[in-house]
Amino acid sequence: VHTIEQAIEDLVYFARNVHLPFPEAIEDGNNVGPDKNPWILVGGSYSGALVSWTMVSHPGVFHAGYSSSGVVQAISYYWGYFEPIRQYMPKNCSADVERVINHMDLTFTFGSKKEKDALKTKFGMPNVTHYDDVAGTLRNQLWAWQSLTPASGGGAFFTFCDALEMKNGTAAGPNGWGLKHALDAWGQYETKYVANLCGDTPQDDCLGSYDSSLAYYHTIEVDNAYRSWLWFCCNEVGYWQDGAPLGWPSIVTRLITPQYDERQCTYWFPEAFPQATRAKTLDTNRKYDGWNVKEERLFFVNANKDPWREATVSSDYHRRRSTSRQPIHVLTSGYHCSDLLTRFNIAPDIKQVQDTAVETFTKWIKEFVPGQRNAKKDLGTEIEPLVRERDEASTTIPSVDVTPPVVDLGVVNSGVSTSPSSNDGASPRHVGPKNAWQLPPVQV
């Protein structure tokens, strides 16, 4: 069974045992292990976290590491995924998205069945049985943010915002157009989006999450990378991307909490999870140090606009100070892993960090002494103050260990059947390929 520990051990085993086909005149390919050569571990996102986790658990194997957008802190209730999006998306768009989400949550929680069904129909999902599935589908537009790059232009995300905020050729001010227009505009957009996404597939099979018999949950091909990733999430890291806690602005429904995702772990892996269980995030963070990592020659690059920012060492909750031995660079122009590609150095801060990395690693490689293991040093524990200036709201920033809202799904989904419906084995699109936004832009 694949685990974080196994992934780390694979990297260590490879470094210690690989045979590289070098010409003998240059170097013996059987004698290139990390005790004789300075190995550098590089990764971004999950593999960026692996860089940190590997250097923590196996000090001295890799001489240096480069972690781009490394999600080092395991977080079960990861509502913070949507915070950088809310903070950096156009203000008129975030204002109207918040209004629509709040209206939908109130309607699905306190409205009559007639009102709930009317709202489902308005958003093009009359045949999605469960109301939390309907509300959760609206995250699809927001997930498009992760695909943005300094070279991508607006992309699908801004096509969505234009649909909400452009009226008769005029853009709304920073406060948006208001609830009535936003409901109509998003409803029209979502109706076309769902039609393109689902096609002839029944809506419950396409967007529902309550049918554990779907073949999608039981596909076990070797190359099913998404299933492997979900095993990590269900067991060790969580990262459930849900609505914000009460009292804090949210662009995502609060009907989606970790229990929504943990329930599906019992569908994916029924033998391991006969009942819904929280991921062992505390164990993961204790074992691999999470935000508190202190390693020699570990180079971090993160970005303010990255939706994974709050799981990195540049989190607003635990922003570490950069040091010469463990540099932490925060990009203003970058998004998720933008620094890993040289074509994105059209942004001055990305070019600067790439140039700095080359200079730094050149220096660190010269420090390598064959046969000498790194001695772990105290790199300091200073933490930057909480970042509060991103929001104009007077609300106190939620605690890092805030609990999700309590949602009575019996009330939300009252009047619907929770028994599996008949299906043709199609995949529920909202829990599977998160690249649903790669459909052609919706024209409204």
Side-chain angles (χ1 to χ4, degrees), residues 17 73 96 107 132 212 256 266 270 280 282 367 397 414 420:
N17 295 278
Q73 182 78 4
D96 279 336
T107 301
D132 48 344
S212 62
I256 301 296
T266 69
K280 299 180 179 66
L282 292 178
E367 297 175 0
I397 190 168
S414 60

Side-chain angles (χ1 to χ4, degrees), residues 72-338:
V72 297
Q73 182 78 4
I75 304 171
S76 181
Y77 176 33
Y78 190 43
W79 64 276
Y81 178 92
F82 296 103
E83 271 297 275
I85 303 174
R86 184 184 68 82
Q87 292 163 350
Y88 288 99
M89 67 191 289
K91 294 301 181 186
N92 52 8
C93 191
S94 63
D96 279 336
V97 167
E98 287 178 37
R99 291 185 180 107
V100 169
I101 292 302
N102 186 59
H103 173 79
M104 183 168 282
D105 283 358
L106 290 173
T107 301
F108 285 167
T109 303
F110 301 109
S112 65
K113 188 175 187 305
K114 180 179 179 180
E115 291 169 330
K116 293 178 181 181
D117 290 344
L119 192 56
K120 285 200 305 180
T121 300
K122 190 177 192 69
F123 279 78
M125 291 177 269
N127 297 315
V128 176
T129 302
H130 295 83
Y131 301 107
D132 48 344
D133 285 336
V134 173
T137 298
L138 301 192
R139 293 176 296 176
N140 283 16
Q141 279 70 51
L142 304 178
W143 275 320
W145 181 274
Q146 186 170 321
S147 295
L148 294 176
T149 74
S152 66
F157 183 90
F158 289 96
T159 300
F160 161 68
C161 278
D162 284 348
L164 266 62
E165 302 309 323
M166 295 297 297
K167 181 165 58 171
N168 300 323
T170 300
N175 291 324
W177 291 114
L179 178 61
K180 184 180 185 305
H181 175 81
L183 280 172
D184 291 340
W186 196 346
Q188 293 175 33
Y189 184 95
E190 196 71 20
T191 297
K192 294 183 179 182
Y193 170 82
V194 168
N196 290 340
L197 178 64
C198 297
D200 295 332
T201 303
Q203 288 193 339
D204 255 351
D205 293 352
C206 177
L207 301 171
S209 70
Y210 281 84
D211 186 353
S212 62
S213 69
L214 281 170
Y216 179 72
Y217 288 118
H218 308 284
T219 303
I220 56 174
E221 286 88 354
V222 171
D223 292 333
N224 191 341
Y226 188 65
R227 187 178 184 88
S228 296
W229 172 245
L230 279 178
W231 177 258
F232 277 141
C233 293
C234 292
N235 277 283
E236 300 183 274
V237 294
Y239 295 144
W240 306 126
Q241 297 156 25
D242 306 321
L246 293 171
W248 193 252
S250 185
I251 57 174
V252 169
T253 175
R254 291 185 173 92
L255 304 183
I256 301 296
T257 68
Q259 73 183 80
Y260 180 89
D261 304 287
E262 290 160 0
R263 166 178 55 80
Q264 292 177 64
C265 292
T266 69
Y267 302 168
W268 286 96
F269 314 106
E271 293 182 2
F273 298 98
Q275 60 184 13
T277 307
R278 286 194 62 179
K280 299 180 179 66
T281 55
L282 292 178
D283 292 344
T284 301
N285 293 328
R286 288 191 189 105
K287 189 170 185 178
Y288 302 113
D289 290 350
W291 284 326
N292 296 309
V293 57
K294 292 183 289 183
E295 288 297 323
E296 281 273 304
R297 292 184 288 269
L298 179 50
F299 193 101
F300 284 105
V301 183
N302 302 308
N304 283 333
K305 297 177 183 177
D306 182 4
W308 291 97
R309 183 189 72 207
E310 301 301 352
T312 74
V313 291
S314 300
S315 167
D316 282 0
Y317 286 107
H318 204 83
R319 183 167 289 227
R320 296 284 299 281
R321 292 190 188 279
S322 179
T323 69
S324 61
R325 306 304 289 174
Q326 185 176 279
I328 301 172
H329 299 268
V330 183
L331 302 172
T332 57
S333 301
Y335 294 87
H336 191 58
C337 300
S338 297

Side-chain angles (χ1 to χ4, degrees), residues 376-416:
K376 200 164 186 177
K377 296 182 180 180
D378 184 2
L379 303 181
T381 57
E382 289 185 293
I383 307 299
E384 297 279 6
L386 288 176
V387 178
R388 299 177 183 274
E389 66 273 12
R390 297 189 201 275
D391 292 287
E392 298 176 358
S394 59
T395 310
T396 302
I397 190 168
S399 167
V400 66
D401 56 356
V402 65
T403 56
V406 176
V407 178
D408 187 341
L409 292 177
V411 171
V412 172
N413 291 318
S414 60
V416 305

